[in-house]
Amino acid sequence: MKKWILAAAVSAALMGCAGQQQSETSLPEGVTLVETVSFSGEQVGIPYRKYQLANGLTVILHEDHSDPLVHVDVTYHVGSGRELEGRSGFAHLFEHMMFQGSQNVGDEQHFKMVTESGGTLNGTTNTDRTNYFETVPNNQLEKMLWLESDRMGFFLPALTEEKFEVQRETVKNERAQRIDNRPYGRMGERFNQAFYPQGHPYSWPVIGWPEDLNRADVEDVKHFFQRWYGPNNATLTIGGDFDEMQTLAWVNKYFGEIPAGPAVDAPVKELVTLDETRYLSMEDRVHLPLLRIGMPTVYARHEDEAALDLLSNILGGGKTSLFYKNLVKDGLAVQAGVSHPCQELACQFSMYALANPARGGNLAELEQAMRDSITEFEKRGVTDDDLEKVKVNFEAGTIFGLQSVQGKVASLAFNETFSDNPDMIGFDLARYANVTKEDVMRVFNKYIKDKPMVVMSVVPQGQTQLIAKADNFVPPAEKVASVAVESLDIKPQISSAFDRSIIPAAGATPVLTMPELWKGQLANNIEVIGTQTTETPTVEIVIYLNGGHRLLDVNQAGLAGMTAAMMNESSQKRSSEELTQALEMLGSNVSFSASGYQSQVKISSLTANLDKTMAIVQEKLFEPGFTAADFERVKQQKLQHLQRELTEPNYLASTAFSSLLYGENSPFGVSSGGSLETVSAMTLDDVKAFYKKQYTAGNAQIVAVGSLNEAQMLTKLATLSSWKGAATPLPKLAELPKFEGGKIYIVDKPEAAQSVIKIGKRGLKFDATGEFYKSYLMNYPLGGAFNSRINLNLREDKGYTYGARSYFSGGPELGFYQATASVRSDVTTKALIEFIKEINAFQEAGMTEKELDFMKSSISQSKALDYETPYQKAGLMRNIQRYNLDDNYSTQQTAITNSIGLNELNQLAKEQLNLDDMVILVVGDRAKIEPELSTLGYPIEILQL
């Protein structure tokens, strides 16, 4: 346990002491200080102060002055678990409805105001809570509190039948995109019907059953809001760069007069049980048969949760697990894993495996192999390494999760909502640290061994012979509650003591400070660019190797990714399992990947463990094993992955779009992941040859961010100084095909619930301060922001889609422009008409003065959020390094943004947005969409992929 204790002590260094406790007499009237929590020495946690308003609102403040930004989170203790049977989907529907304006905030203005302030925002819903959050420059805090308070206290006066209907359609589109149109999308909701007893709040999906959404009305929505969205059922958490007493005064002003809602009791926690093993199956538009097994265990923060988490990791937590050894490495499965997700009311010991069709794909055989692995664990027991690696990784994950203010705020809000105590990090670390071998075996015997389970088979359509066992479970008919919520004593709407229609003014614009960068070289001339950040004792390093997919002939497409995958396997000294084990013991991660123009080695480590981590990097980088067994397994996994992707509408659309723009003879016209033909033809010798071409010192550049200064970081990286090899020149690009605009191309996806639309053309290559960047500014109000013309039209006004956008994408040599959305199949033509209308109108008349002001405000102020996390800093430095930019290029961009005029932007729109130069691609059910599309007057061509 020495490493675990050391790691915990190291992590304490990232927490300072909180300031002195505020005097009760200095607090605004009605605000009570509940506790002040600070840390010193070897304690681990996030310093904060917790307050409560007279109406029951809990307020948590965490000051972090490292960046000029604030993160605001309002978490309501309501999710789909508060719904009644037959009335599902309300909590998620409210996530959408609460962005549609309130009494003093106009329609669509929430997104507009936050975006115009330079911020980002979103909301999420799960079974147990709904949260809304914004990250903004610190001068916008008062405005955010005004926005959040208005929808908490003054939402209902702005609720209309029309808004309700549009958002109901948006939710249906979200369901179609995320569930109905996605392989295995309906598996989870079907599985949960069998796993939980009828009427259990987790037995229906968070997004709701379609029939439940259809039967809802505006009055149901009002009652649900009145029941659950009061201040006494909410936690307001603020983190970042702010003045505490000023913030408390604003919180009290905007939230203090909102009356408390009905009393909220904690939901009853009863352990879920199964009386027998339940089998069920489903046919789907998939390539790989999938087996999912689940067993009920406990609930979140139950005393047995931590031991069950460790057990799941031992069984199926990666390359060192029994499932990987027995299912994946043996070739029986393409993927397999075990996890133990926990929710407020129930946890699930969850096991899955994607069968390898090359081995027959029989799920009964797969089920037996999974059961045999469980039996093997019982005989093998728990080792010291099993315990230590899980504990070290849990602690390391905790540290990496504190690299952003948002991460810290999320932790505080979550812990307060579900434990009535924001300070749970130390408790959680301790409960994992204290798990023993005996604890793991005890929970195995109590909850897993010989216990009933749910076994679900998902098979390709028409292949029911592959299911594990005949179904013995049929979901019972749904009972429909007569009301959406139980009867309420509703308090009348309040009149505010001040004029809430006045939008709070922004404070003084924060002073933005670019990270202090340094540039150096290793002894072999590898360029290094870095910066020091001392917020956490961590290091993030990325080794970029120029080349990637661009180095290859199209007949070898996928080889860059295949080689990177092989680099993630064994070395000449150790197996991939042994290397993974070594990294897990350090709480480190080393991963190889490849993309269009480069291969990458991504390294994450606790600072104290960097030397040992870099030794593993050296071993993997300089002494790859490249064994035949690894290659055959990885190749088979790649092939099955490609087969699976061919069932994904978005993959089909991206592949077809690239082929249309660049042609089949260009590396940009074929997928960097390759095709079934190119991957099938690959040999281990191909991998070895590409390794020699790609993984040379001459191709390498390094970006480093961490708690070390320049001299210390260069000393740690000196282990790479022995790396040799010259840079590899890029081959000449094939001639691009003649581009045929003004035509509709269709890729047939039978029975697709949605159509994927892509409209676009070849475009500008990347530049940081020239025409490409200015085109980005030009497109922003058309399709670059949430409240852009395209998204407001197709999503908010028409309800055709869950989201629509347009953008310019550029690389070192080429780029493209694209407008895209996934839309309901029955409105494919109508949605395309709206796309065409919006692009044509913008191209002809350009943006308005108001849109210009919005764009300038949003983009220039958003710079305050650009450099907070290590990987944000790394992205900045990589652009400087890759494109040889000035260190202050971001400041130059801000100057361009603030000075550019309407005439220049609108001239760019005329030049860049001519629809006659663009192709139109639609992936969908041809039989349903082609007849109506043919009425638009465009020639139509059917593409075969």
Side-chain angles (χ1 to χ4, degrees):
M1 295 302 294
K2 289 182 179 179
K3 292 179 184 175
W4 165 246
I5 296 169
L6 172 62
V10 169
S11 69
L14 54 86
M15 300 303 171
C17 295
Q20 296 300 308
Q21 181 170 322
Q22 296 288 350
S23 167
E24 289 278 4
T25 58
S26 65
L27 296 176
E29 184 178 352
V31 178
T32 302
L33 176 63
V34 177
E35 63 177 346
T36 297
V37 174
S38 60
F39 300 92
S40 60
E42 293 188 0
Q43 295 174 299
V44 183
I46 307 169
Y48 67 89
R49 287 195 181 88
K50 176 178 171 181
Y51 299 89
Q52 191 166 61
L53 305 192
N55 57 12
L57 177 68
T58 298
V59 181
I60 301 168
L61 303 181
H62 164 68
E63 290 188 68
D64 179 343
H65 301 288
S66 57
D67 293 281
L69 56 84
V70 290
H71 183 78
V72 178
D73 177 289
V74 179
T75 296
Y76 295 92
H77 196 168
V78 55
S80 59
R82 299 285 195 178
E83 297 162 353
L84 303 179
E85 187 175 6
R87 298 287 185 163
S88 65
F90 278 95
H92 178 260
L93 179 60
F94 256 97
E95 179 198 317
H96 289 257
M97 294 299 301
M98 294 273 270
F99 286 107
Q100 299 310 304
S102 47
Q103 182 171 312
N104 302 292
V105 180
D107 297 354
E108 318 303 342
Q109 290 303 296
H110 202 112
F111 273 99
K112 181 178 185 297
M113 287 184 187
V114 176
T115 307
E116 192 169 30
S117 297
T120 61
L121 72 162
N122 211 334
T124 66
T125 309
N126 62 28
T127 52
D128 307 311
R129 64 101 186 97
T130 303
N131 71 336
Y132 302 90
F133 49 90
E134 303 89 15
T135 306
V136 293
N138 59 8
N139 64 328
Q140 303 290 340
L141 176 56
E142 184 182 7
K143 190 183 298 181
M144 299 305 106
L145 298 175
W146 170 75
L147 283 169
E148 288 291 356
S149 67
D150 209 68
R151 63 178 168 190
M152 179 185 285
F154 301 87
F155 168 75
L156 289 182
L159 176 60
T160 65
E161 182 78 34
E162 181 182 5
K163 288 182 183 180
F164 168 70
E165 292 297 343
V166 168
Q167 291 311 307
R168 176 156 57 181
E169 289 305 307
T170 300
V171 170
K172 290 179 181 178
N173 281 314
E174 182 180 359
R175 179 185 170 84
Q177 182 173 326
R178 293 187 171 183
I179 297 175
D180 299 330
N181 213 40
R182 178 175 292 178
Y184 312 103
R186 292 176 290 122
M187 174 182 64
E189 56 190 30
R190 291 279 307 277
F191 187 91
N192 286 344
Q193 281 184 300
F195 191 85
Y196 297 104
Q198 183 176 15
H200 191 283
Y202 294 169
S203 64
W204 49 80
V206 173
I207 203 168
W209 295 115
E211 54 270 27
D212 292 357
L213 289 169
N214 287 335
R215 70 168 59 95
D217 60 32
V218 173
E219 288 304 307
D220 291 332
V221 172
K222 288 180 179 179
H223 292 156
F224 196 82
F225 175 82
Q226 290 166 326
R227 176 67 186 90
W228 299 112
Y229 292 82
N232 52 308
N233 196 36
T235 298
L236 168 64
T237 309
I238 304 170
D241 186 23
F242 58 84
D243 177 88
E244 182 168 359
M245 293 311 293
Q246 176 62 77
T247 299
L248 280 175
W250 286 335
V251 168
N252 197 45
K253 173 183 178 180
Y254 292 112
F255 290 90
E257 63 182 11
I258 301 172
V264 176
D265 296 323
V268 177
K269 299 179 180 180
E270 296 180 351
L271 294 183
V272 175
T273 59
L274 291 168
D275 54 353
E276 63 176 354
T277 293
R278 296 177 175 180
Y279 285 88
L280 70 157
S281 63
M282 180 180 81
E283 296 179 67
D284 200 0
R285 294 185 295 273
V286 298
H287 168 67
L288 300 177
L290 183 150
L291 189 71
R292 177 175 173 180
I293 297 175
M295 285 170 276
T297 57
V298 290
Y299 44 78
R301 291 217 164 93
H302 184 281
E303 61 182 5
D304 289 340
E305 180 191 5
L308 284 159
D309 285 350
L310 268 67
L311 172 61
S312 71
N313 188 275
I314 296 167
L315 278 172
K319 288 186 176 180
T320 58
S321 69
L322 293 173
F323 267 47
Y324 183 84
K325 174 177 73 74
N326 295 338
L327 280 72
V328 179
K329 192 150 190 178
D330 186 54
L332 192 62
V334 176
Q335 292 178 24
V338 182
S339 60
H340 185 236
C342 280
Q343 298 157 276
E344 185 175 19
L345 303 181
C347 302
Q348 184 180 130
F349 202 84
S350 180
M351 301 175 279
Y352 84 96
L354 284 164
N356 186 351
R359 290 280 296 270
N362 187 288
L363 296 182
E365 183 182 359
L366 206 58
E367 180 189 357
Q368 188 58 52
M370 295 165 81
R371 289 179 179 271
D372 289 345
S373 297
I374 295 172
T375 301
E376 180 180 343
F377 164 77
E378 183 180 13
K379 294 177 180 177
R380 194 205 76 163
V382 184
T383 68
D384 290 336
D385 284 351
D386 287 335
L387 291 181
E388 188 170 355
K389 71 181 182 181
V390 176
K391 294 174 180 180
V392 169
N393 276 275
F394 180 81
E395 194 271 340
T398 300
I399 294 175
F400 283 107
L402 300 176
Q403 290 181 332
S404 71
V405 170
Q406 180 173 350
K408 290 184 278 190
V409 166
S411 176
L412 292 168
F414 176 89
N415 289 327
E416 171 61 28
T417 300
F418 298 113
S419 300
D420 296 321
N421 179 11
D423 179 27
M424 294 294 289
I425 288 179
F427 171 81
D428 286 337
L429 288 170
R431 67 188 179 116
Y432 282 87
N434 292 331
V435 173
T436 65
K437 297 177 185 178
E438 292 73 21
D439 289 331
V440 176
M441 294 310 300
R442 176 179 56 78
V443 297
F444 170 78
N445 289 315
K446 184 173 182 179
Y447 301 104
I448 308 303
K449 182 183 177 181
D450 300 328
K451 295 298 186 291
M453 58 183 68
V454 173
V455 182
M456 183 173 186
S457 302
V458 183
V459 297
Q461 289 179 320
Q463 297 189 39
T464 56
Q465 77 277 5
L466 298 178
I467 66 172
K469 194 172 183 179
D471 293 19
N472 65 358
F473 172 79
V474 177
E478 183 180 41
K479 298 176 182 177
V480 180
S482 58
V483 292
V485 297
E486 298 166 355
S487 59
L488 301 172
D489 176 21
I490 303 300
K491 297 183 180 180
Q493 183 70 29
I494 65 167
S495 297
S496 184
F498 61 96
D499 188 351
R500 285 182 175 264
S501 66
I502 299 174
I503 302 173
T509 302
V511 177
L512 305 182
T513 303
M514 283 274 293
E516 187 175 333
L517 309 181
W518 54 263
K519 296 178 181 178
Q521 275 189 338
L522 302 186
N524 52 359
N525 298 320
I526 294 177
E527 297 175 2
V528 184
I529 184 170
T531 189
Q532 183 177 16
T533 175
T534 57
E535 293 180 49
T536 58
T538 58
V539 173
E540 311 276 7
I541 298 168
V542 185
I543 304 171
Y544 293 97
L545 295 129
N546 296 315
H549 178 61
R550 175 66 177 83
L551 283 177
L552 296 166
D553 182 271
V554 293
N555 294 320
Q556 288 189 309
L559 182 55
M562 174 69 80
T563 305
M566 287 295 292
M567 301 289 282
N568 285 319
E569 295 294 328
S570 58
S571 71
Q572 294 173 23
K573 295 179 178 178
R574 288 185 278 185
S575 68
S576 57
E577 294 90 338
E578 290 170 332
L579 288 165
T580 300
Q581 177 95 340
L583 288 167
E584 288 176 337
M585 290 299 209
L586 299 171
S588 301
N589 183 67
V590 176
S591 62
F592 290 73
S593 62
S595 56
Y597 272 99
Q598 55 198 17
S599 297
Q600 306 97 22
V601 188
K602 181 179 175 184
I603 304 155
S604 298
S605 174
L606 296 173
T607 306
N609 294 337
L610 183 57
D611 286 335
K612 293 178 180 178
T613 303
M614 290 304 299
I616 296 174
V617 171
Q618 266 193 293
E619 181 179 340
K620 293 172 75 71
L621 184 60
F622 300 153
E623 302 175 89
F626 290 154
T627 68
D630 283 346
F631 176 74
E632 290 304 322
R633 184 182 66 258
V634 171
K635 180 177 177 177
Q636 188 59 230
Q637 290 170 349
K638 289 282 186 185
L639 288 169
Q640 299 304 336
H641 176 72
L642 284 168
Q643 288 277 16
R644 180 179 176 182
E645 283 197 316
L646 289 172
T647 66
E648 294 272 6
N650 283 307
Y651 173 80
L652 296 174
S654 295
T655 302
F657 187 74
S658 296
S659 179
L660 288 171
L661 263 57
Y662 303 115
E664 296 179 354
N665 294 321
S666 168
F668 305 113
V670 297
S671 170
S672 62
S675 66
L676 292 173
E677 292 75 21
T678 62
V679 174
S680 294
M682 283 179 197
T683 66
L684 184 55
D685 286 340
D686 293 331
V687 169
K688 292 176 180 178
F690 186 76
Y691 167 77
K692 292 178 181 178
K693 181 187 294 188
Q694 173 72 103
Y695 291 87
T696 69
N699 291 330
Q701 295 174 304
I702 299 175
V703 170
V705 185
S707 60
L708 302 176
N709 61 32
E710 177 182 357
Q712 292 168 327
M713 188 71 79
L714 288 173
T715 299
K716 302 294 185 183
L717 292 172
T719 56
L720 301 175
S721 295
S722 61
W723 199 357
K724 301 185 187 307
T728 308
L730 297 179
K732 183 180 177 181
L733 276 176
E735 186 176 340
L736 294 171
K738 183 180 178 182
F739 194 73
E740 292 190 64
K743 179 187 283 190
I744 294 177
Y745 296 87
I746 295 176
V747 175
D748 188 21
K749 184 73 172 68
E751 300 181 40
Q754 285 194 315
S755 298
V756 181
I757 296 174
K758 289 185 182 293
I759 306 170
K761 62 167 192 168
R762 293 196 294 264
L764 301 163
K765 68 178 183 179
F766 174 85
D767 66 62
T769 55
E771 190 171 351
F772 176 83
Y773 179 72
K774 293 175 181 178
S775 296
Y776 155 71
L777 301 178
M778 173 269 291
N779 176 71
Y780 196 72
L782 172 63
F786 180 89
N787 53 304
S788 66
R789 294 187 188 186
I790 287 173
N791 195 54
L792 287 184
N793 183 339
L794 274 76
R795 171 178 162 141
E796 300 302 314
D797 294 343
K798 304 295 192 305
Y800 291 163
T801 180
Y802 181 54
R805 63 191 181 116
S806 62
Y807 61 94
F808 287 87
S809 176
E813 297 171 295
L814 297 170
F816 63 84
Y817 174 77
Q818 180 181 124
T820 183
S822 294
V823 303
R824 291 199 330 263
S825 183
D826 64 315
V827 296
T828 301
T829 301
K830 291 179 180 178
L832 183 54
I833 290 171
E834 295 305 316
F835 261 123
I836 292 170
K837 182 183 76 174
E838 293 293 354
I839 294 172
N840 275 335
F842 200 84
Q843 194 253 351
E844 292 169 7
M847 71 174 71
T848 65
E849 288 283 357
K850 283 186 177 181
E851 288 175 326
L852 176 67
D853 291 341
F854 164 78
M855 179 274 290
K856 289 185 173 184
S857 177
S858 175
I859 293 176
S860 61
Q861 292 193 90
S862 69
K863 295 291 184 182
L865 282 59
D866 281 355
Y867 319 123
E868 183 193 8
T869 68
Y871 273 103
Q872 285 177 302
K873 294 179 173 72
L876 166 77
M877 293 188 292
R878 179 54 181 162
N879 273 343
I880 292 171
Q881 186 183 67
R882 184 179 185 187
Y883 295 103
N884 196 28
L885 304 177
D886 293 337
D887 287 1
N888 68 338
Y889 85 89
S890 184
T891 303
Q892 295 172 14
Q893 288 181 333
T894 299
I896 293 170
T897 303
N898 292 334
S899 64
I900 198 166
L902 204 59
N903 290 338
E904 184 176 1
L905 291 167
N906 289 345
Q907 182 59 36
L908 278 172
K910 289 185 184 300
E911 296 170 359
Q912 296 292 338
L913 300 180
N914 187 346
L915 266 169
D916 292 338
D917 298 334
M918 300 185 195
V919 295
I920 299 169
L921 171 69
V922 183
V923 177
D925 190 331
R926 177 186 176 187
K928 293 179 181 178
I929 64 178
E930 186 178 10
E932 201 169 33
L933 285 172
S934 65
T935 66
L936 298 181
Y938 289 90
I940 293 178
E941 182 175 328
I942 309 302
L943 292 180
Q944 303 293 332
L945 294 182

